[in-house]
Amino acid sequence: MDSLLYTAPLAGIIGLVFAGYLVLYILKLDAGTDRMKEIASAIQEGAMAYLNRQYTTIAIIALILAVLIAYGIGLYTAIGFVLGAIMSAAAGYLGMNISVRSNVRCANAAREGLQKALTVAFKGGAVTGISVASLALLGVSGLYIAFGGDINAVDKVIGFGFGASLISLFARIGGGIYTKAADVGTDLVGKVEAGIPEDDPRNPGVIADNVGDNVGDCAGMAADLFETYAVTALGAMLIGVTVINTYPNAISYPLVLGAAAIFASIIGTFFVKLGKSGDIMGAMYKGAIVAGGISIILFYIITQQMMNGSTGLFISALVGLGVTAAMIIITEYYTATSHSPVKDIANASVTGPGTNIITGLAVGLQSTALPALVICAGIFISYFVNGGGTMGLYGIAIAAAAMLSVTGIIISIDSYGPITDNAGGIAEMAELSKEVRDITDPLDAVGNTTKAVTKGYAIGSAALGALALYAAYSSEVDKLLAQQMRPPMALELSNPLVLIGLLIGGMIPFLFASFLMKAVGRAASTIVTEIRRQFREIAGIMDGKAKPDYGRCVDIVTIAAQKEMVIPGLLAVLSPLLVGFILGPEALGGLLIGVIASGLMLALMMTTGGAAWDNAKKYIESGNLGGKKLPDGSKNPTHAAAVVGDTVGDPTKDTAGPAINPLIKVMNIVAILVAGLILKYSILG
């Protein structure tokens, strides 16, 4: 066992200590007026109540699966599964707990200026970012070392990835349904029907809406990238087993890269400061650039020490960081208010919601092209600079691992978003001065872009990570076939079982997304009905003389989210089992390829297009194309059209699109886990 391997759990521990330091910094800050504290407390209570109920539901499913895994696969795998689920849940819980405490402090800091508010929001987000990367690396490396730290230990750690994937899947589904049902329902009645501002305290759904920002974009994203980090590292380790004769440290190499990037991410957080231009996005990019630069230097040193100075593997690591940078640039282009795609959607709103939606769909569809080409280029370079074959696949896995290694700084940028969104809501509800909103509003607008950028990063990394997982599945099947003196698996389109699997895999992301979109629609309808009822039956709400029943809306959307998340979750777990056990390993291989290809495109289209719709609305709200209201005080129809487009885009960018990431990885990790059982018991295979 290479001694550098121990830097991985050490980095995880140091990262958690640093996150603890940030927590203490945040909690020492002034939370503002009594009214601000009251609003923040309501958001905290709603968020934690939702998360507790969600984890209770998931725990029941996880317990059943743990027993089945222990019986069907092995005790060590079951232990890894339980630990993966617990640590993934802990990452989301910790991140959201601090997010709902940073929001009010960010709002209060905005009274002192933009730099202060940015610092609070980013450091609050960094708690989530550094914690996620640290817990994931600590879990994978610690379990690998505990199980022996050798070639036989890798298979035992796979369960950890499945546990993380399961939590991620349900967190993304449930959190996404919650946040967008609350958001859509609140906006439709408040902004469109009643004509009151966003985050107006007279709206009964406003607390549920602010809670949703945290359970979806903070806890959901944390769980998503926790499992992406974990399963990508596992994929690289599994493929590393196949090249261990050439590179004895191939299994531990991706873990040490992750350790280096955690140190780099911690350093990067200290460089997030506004320059003279006051560019908020640029301030956060400084931190990411510093983290990336330090990572490159450390990756070179590590490659020299562990991998005999392999030029190909170092290039693969650079490719991973390059893909990250490219995904950030492309996503910002399609979602920032300063670029033409968002302006095109806003201009289309002048002629009504129909043209807004048509243009938004076109932007979303177009936004798949450049990311797909970037990912293809990354795969091509990583494969061929390492000589192709098994080493080429390992090179792709290293690119994916390097891409995920900077998760800490990337999630820090993402988790800033829900904090600033909530800060603006608290400022509105607490009736703070216009000067405060003039600071929180641009922070929030940038937050929409940072959330979109991180989703693009997550999708891109999922594609590379899933390819590594697929290669691991193929390698596992071939290894088992060799033990049975059978030829290796051949995925040929002339084989009807492979084609059937490919088509089913291509279909599943669309079916999965439809379940989630309909779930948001149903849940939003219940919120619309409830808000209308309160406006109708509680006298004095619109005059500000009566307090709405915020808790009722929180309860309604919480129950709806828990109910609606089960069927899509089961689809992800059961589809590879059914295809594998009925049609055999070749059909299952086709299924995995299909879900990776179609899932990547659909996720990109939905997340980027939805974010562009959202920022087109904010572009108009900032005073362009007439703003919210016309000079005579009447509603601006251009803004109303943009609100409709944003409503359509909400469940695509925050529910269905992001949830496709864990869908892809759950299906791949399930396939790896049951490969041996499928070879033994499949009906047609």
Side-chain angles (χ1 to χ4, degrees):
M1 190 188 306
D2 189 89
S3 58
L4 283 176
L5 171 61
Y6 290 99
T7 62
L10 177 62
I13 293 169
I14 291 173
L16 292 175
V17 171
F18 179 71
Y21 155 75
L22 293 177
V23 169
L24 293 176
Y25 168 83
I26 294 295
L27 296 181
K28 285 180 180 178
L29 297 174
D30 185 7
T33 65
D34 290 341
R35 176 59 176 157
M36 293 169 68
K37 293 175 184 176
E38 178 187 352
I39 296 166
S41 178
I43 295 172
Q44 292 165 21
E45 290 175 10
M48 301 317 294
Y50 170 81
L51 210 58
N52 290 336
R53 185 175 295 186
Q54 176 174 271
Y55 285 160
T56 299
T57 303
I58 298 173
I60 297 170
I61 299 172
L63 182 61
I64 296 170
L65 286 173
V67 173
L68 293 174
I69 291 170
Y71 177 77
I73 300 175
L75 180 61
Y76 285 123
T77 304
I79 292 172
F81 169 78
V82 172
L83 286 175
I86 291 173
M87 294 184 78
S88 179
Y93 196 92
L94 175 62
M96 196 182 75
N97 208 318
I98 297 305
S99 178
V100 296
R101 285 163 174 77
S102 301
N103 52 16
V104 66
R105 290 165 172 83
C106 176
N108 190 59
R111 301 160 86 179
E112 301 179 36
L114 182 60
Q115 177 61 66
K116 181 69 173 179
L118 172 63
T119 299
V120 174
F122 180 78
K123 287 190 174 181
V127 173
T128 305
I130 301 299
S131 296
V132 165
S134 300
L135 281 168
L137 183 62
L138 180 61
V140 175
S141 62
L143 207 58
Y144 173 64
I145 292 170
F147 286 155
D150 56 18
I151 192 171
N152 297 316
V154 182
D155 287 342
K156 299 173 184 176
V157 187
I158 296 174
F160 184 90
F162 183 39
S165 296
L166 185 75
I167 294 293
S168 169
L169 181 69
F170 284 107
R172 263 303 188 196
I173 294 172
I177 293 171
Y178 182 106
T179 184
K180 289 303 107 178
D183 191 4
V184 169
T186 301
D187 282 357
L188 283 176
V189 184
K191 289 198 288 189
V192 177
E193 294 182 8
I196 59 178
E198 187 173 3
D199 298 317
D200 193 298
R202 293 172 292 178
N203 194 325
V206 71
I207 295 296
D209 186 9
N210 279 275
V211 169
D213 293 328
N214 294 286
V215 300
D217 285 322
C218 188
M221 177 59 79
D224 184 355
L225 279 170
F226 177 95
E227 68 94 16
T228 301
Y229 190 113
V231 301
T232 301
L234 280 169
M237 293 166 71
L238 286 165
I239 300 175
V241 171
T242 65
V243 300
I244 200 167
N245 290 331
T246 304
Y247 292 105
N249 296 319
I251 298 173
S252 55
Y253 177 57
L255 299 176
V256 180
L257 293 181
I262 285 180
F263 294 128
S265 294
I266 290 173
I267 295 171
T269 62
F270 292 100
F271 287 82
V272 178
K273 295 180 181 179
L274 283 174
K276 293 181 180 179
S277 65
D279 183 359
I280 300 169
M281 200 73 189
M284 287 185 284
Y285 281 163
K286 287 178 190 175
I289 291 169
V290 168
I294 295 173
S295 295
I296 290 172
I297 296 170
L298 295 177
F299 287 176
Y300 178 79
I301 295 171
I302 291 165
T303 305
Q304 291 292 318
Q305 293 292 317
M306 297 186 70
M307 310 302 283
N308 299 325
S310 170
T311 302
L313 292 176
F314 178 63
I315 291 174
S316 290
L318 294 182
V319 164
L321 296 177
V323 171
T324 297
M327 293 297 291
I328 289 173
I329 293 168
I330 293 167
T331 307
E332 183 184 354
Y333 170 74
Y334 277 102
T335 58
T337 56
S338 57
H339 298 299
S340 60
V342 167
K343 291 180 180 179
D344 288 345
I345 298 173
N347 289 326
S349 304
V350 174
T351 49
T355 46
N356 170 286
I357 291 171
I358 291 169
T359 306
L361 284 171
V363 168
L365 291 166
Q366 185 189 99
S367 70
T368 64
L370 287 177
L373 293 174
V374 165
I375 292 168
C376 289
I379 291 170
F380 182 88
I381 295 170
S382 299
Y383 184 79
F384 285 105
V385 296
N386 287 286
T390 304
M391 271 305 304
L393 292 175
Y394 183 67
I396 295 171
I398 291 303
M403 188 175 182
L404 264 300
S405 69
V406 292
T407 291
I409 193 71
I410 299 297
I411 299 186
S412 299
I413 294 172
D414 171 81
S415 295
Y416 148 99
I419 292 172
T420 56
D421 196 338
N422 272 197
I426 291 170
E428 180 77 30
M429 288 182 276
E431 299 179 342
L432 299 184
S433 67
K434 180 180 180 297
E435 288 75 17
V436 173
R437 284 310 304 252
D438 287 344
I439 288 175
T440 59
D441 283 352
L443 287 171
D444 181 23
V446 170
N448 276 331
T449 300
T450 64
K451 288 184 284 186
V453 162
T454 308
K455 291 185 181 87
Y457 164 78
I459 293 165
S461 62
L464 285 177
L467 182 60
L469 288 174
Y470 172 77
Y473 164 75
S474 179
S475 175
E476 183 71 12
V477 171
D478 287 346
K479 180 178 72 175
L480 294 170
L481 288 171
Q483 292 173 0
Q484 300 173 16
M485 305 298 289
R486 294 166 60 184
M489 179 174 62
L491 294 181
E492 299 176 352
L493 290 181
S494 58
N495 182 343
L497 294 179
V498 174
L499 185 58
I500 289 169
L502 185 67
L503 293 174
I504 294 174
M507 168 272 293
I508 284 176
F510 291 87
L511 180 62
F512 178 80
S514 77
F515 284 146
L516 298 187
M517 295 288 284
K518 292 176 84 172
V520 170
R522 286 190 293 266
S525 295
T526 63
I527 290 295
V528 167
T529 301
E530 174 59 22
I531 295 174
R532 285 173 176 168
R533 182 195 68 79
Q534 291 196 33
F535 278 153
R536 185 175 61 250
E537 298 179 5
I538 301 178
I541 282 185
M542 293 305 292
D543 297 328
K545 297 178 180 178
K547 183 178 179 181
D549 185 356
Y550 300 122
R552 177 61 182 157
C553 290
V554 172
D555 288 341
I556 286 174
V557 76
T558 297
I559 293 168
Q562 299 308 299
K563 177 183 175 183
E564 298 280 7
M565 74 179 186
V566 176
I567 291 178
L570 290 177
L571 175 66
V573 175
L574 294 179
S575 55
L577 296 177
L578 291 174
V579 169
F581 283 111
I582 294 173
L583 301 178
E586 288 87 358
L588 180 53
L591 178 90
L592 299 181
I593 294 173
V595 77
I596 292 170
S598 75
L600 169 65
M601 300 306 160
L602 186 60
L604 285 169
M605 177 262 178
M606 297 182 104
T607 55
T608 309
W613 261 314
D614 191 348
N615 272 348
K617 177 199 69 176
K618 283 188 165 51
Y619 176 76
I620 295 170
E621 289 176 345
S622 65
N624 297 291
L625 302 175
K628 290 184 181 182
K629 293 186 177 181
L630 298 176
D632 61 3
S634 61
K635 297 179 184 177
N636 181 0
T638 300
H639 177 251
V643 170
V644 174
D646 177 38
T647 302
V648 174
D650 269 341
T652 69
K653 74 181 175 67
D654 289 327
T655 308
I660 292 173
N661 290 347
L663 167 77
I664 293 171
K665 285 164 290 186
V666 164
M667 292 176 65
N668 277 270
I669 206 80
V670 168
I672 295 172
L673 276 173
V674 300
L677 296 175
I678 287 173
L679 284 174
K680 188 174 181 180
Y681 296 112
S682 63
I683 296 173
L684 299 179

